[in-house]
Amino acid sequence: RMDTTEFVFDTSEATFDTDVLNLSFQSPVVVDFWAPWCGPCKMLGPILERLAIESEGNFYLAKVNVDDNPNLSVRFGVQGIPAVKAFREGEITSSFVGALPEAKIREFLRDIGPSEADHAIQEAASLLVTRHWSEAEARYSMVLEEQPNNAAATLGFVRALVAQGKGRQALTYIEDFPGGSEIIAAKQLEELARLIAEVEGKDGHEEEQNLLDAQYWQSARLLARGYYEAGMDGLLEVLRVEKDYRKGEPRKVMLGMFALLGDDDTRTREYR
């Protein structure tokens, strides 16, 4: 692909899926279908390019020369040019045909930008990364009040709950998870949430059946209170003594810890 600027670039049949569809999962991408011989295209193109540069990444502009890339025109039903199509999360969300006045173009671009919910989810995700669990929970909760089926917000909310030892509440969201690819990540947290929920149901003074049980429940209590290294050390000790303890549950809980901490966390790499 030949970059015109950081926010404006040419794309082709060979690179469209990477350039546009993949990128649209991170930020809206506007595609300008044009041709060198098209008079209205010469009016519209520079306006779109200027607004893309002005936006500084609120959206990206991908340019498709329809003469050089006829298959893209067929694929996306382009019958007249200039044709402009906005992509988000791999799908066309809005479009227009013809050279619109700048005010109308700005209106079109406003509608494709991130919503308030998107901004709230980004803020909450940053809070998760910095381990501000309760603040992240509050932010995700606000999004879910407005959009109860938002899968990204539900997953973040579950992570924040599990991290604070709120296993029972997390389980209710995992078991009734909305549609979306995020359900796979939510299921990775299920065994950890279930164990923490069991800890919530114990008062810590039960008679454990044996030393291994005592070790396991002590590890669970440590995880529920956020003492992750000590809790994971305990789980490893249980696995060393009895690999199939509780049908391999400690291993599933450990995988849940990796999902909670994320692949970039040094503890995930160390304990894996």
Side-chain angles (χ1 to χ4, degrees):
R1 116 184 167 191
M2 183 184 73
D3 283 352
T4 310
T5 77
E6 189 183 347
F7 308 115
V8 182
F9 54 86
D10 294 316
T11 188
S12 67
E13 289 167 2
T15 62
F16 188 91
D17 285 12
T18 303
D19 289 347
V20 175
L21 300 188
N22 291 0
L23 180 60
S24 74
F25 282 88
Q26 299 166 35
S27 184
V29 182
V30 173
V31 181
D32 176 19
F33 293 88
W34 69 287
W37 46 262
C38 159
C41 298
K42 290 174 185 170
M43 294 162 57
L44 179 68
I47 298 172
L48 285 171
E49 289 167 26
R50 177 165 48 79
L51 295 177
I53 293 163
E54 241 178 57
S55 87
E56 297 187 326
N58 279 339
F59 77 94
Y60 289 82
L61 178 65
K63 310 270 290 175
V64 174
N65 182 329
V66 295
D67 288 350
D68 296 339
N69 301 280
N71 292 330
L72 286 177
S73 299
V74 173
R75 180 177 170 186
F76 295 109
V78 175
Q79 295 179 322
I81 56 171
V84 174
K85 298 182 187 289
F87 287 78
R88 290 197 66 188
E89 298 189 356
E91 304 286 340
I92 296 170
T93 55
S94 53
S95 62
F96 68 84
V97 179
L100 297 181
E102 184 169 331
K104 287 284 183 194
I105 297 168
R106 284 184 180 275
E107 205 174 292
F108 172 82
L109 294 172
R110 260 198 307 275
D111 290 342
I112 67 158
S115 64
E116 279 184 38
D118 292 332
H119 284 304
I121 288 171
Q122 284 172 357
E123 286 172 19
S126 299
L127 290 165
L128 281 185
V129 170
T130 54
R131 309 288 183 248
H132 290 85
W133 306 117
S134 62
E135 293 94 329
E137 178 194 347
R139 201 63 57 90
Y140 282 123
S141 181
M142 283 164 55
V143 175
L144 291 172
E145 278 175 28
E146 299 288 322
Q147 301 179 8
N149 292 320
N150 188 312
T154 306
L155 175 60
F157 190 59
V158 165
R159 287 185 67 200
L161 291 173
V162 170
Q164 294 174 89
K166 300 178 180 180
R168 288 177 188 167
Q169 195 181 349
L171 272 180
T172 62
Y173 280 88
I174 293 170
E175 287 163 0
D176 192 27
F177 203 86
S181 58
E182 290 87 352
I183 193 167
I184 296 164
K187 285 289 181 188
Q188 290 172 340
L189 294 163
E190 189 167 14
E191 287 295 338
L192 174 60
R194 199 175 302 285
L195 180 62
I196 290 172
E198 283 190 61
V199 170
E200 286 177 272
K202 291 173 172 279
D203 63 12
H205 300 289
E206 301 83 356
E207 287 297 318
E208 309 292 3
Q209 290 180 325
N210 57 45
L211 282 174
L212 204 56
D213 289 340
Q215 170 85 62
Y216 188 58
W217 289 111
Q218 176 58 13
S219 304
R221 283 189 281 273
L222 288 165
L223 294 176
R225 290 175 194 150
Y227 299 112
Y228 296 146
E229 291 93 336
M232 290 194 287
D233 284 341
L235 291 179
L236 286 178
E237 201 50 50
V238 170
L239 285 169
R240 280 192 195 103
V241 175
E242 191 179 323
K243 191 172 154 189
D244 292 323
Y245 178 80
R246 282 177 59 130
K247 299 181 180 174
E249 189 179 289
R251 184 179 169 278
K252 293 174 189 167
V253 172
M254 188 74 92
L255 292 174
M257 280 304 308
F258 299 158
L260 178 66
L261 295 170
D263 289 336
D264 293 333
D265 193 287
T266 52
R267 290 166 294 188
T268 299
R269 293 196 290 272
E270 183 187 339
Y271 282 86
R272 188 170 267 150

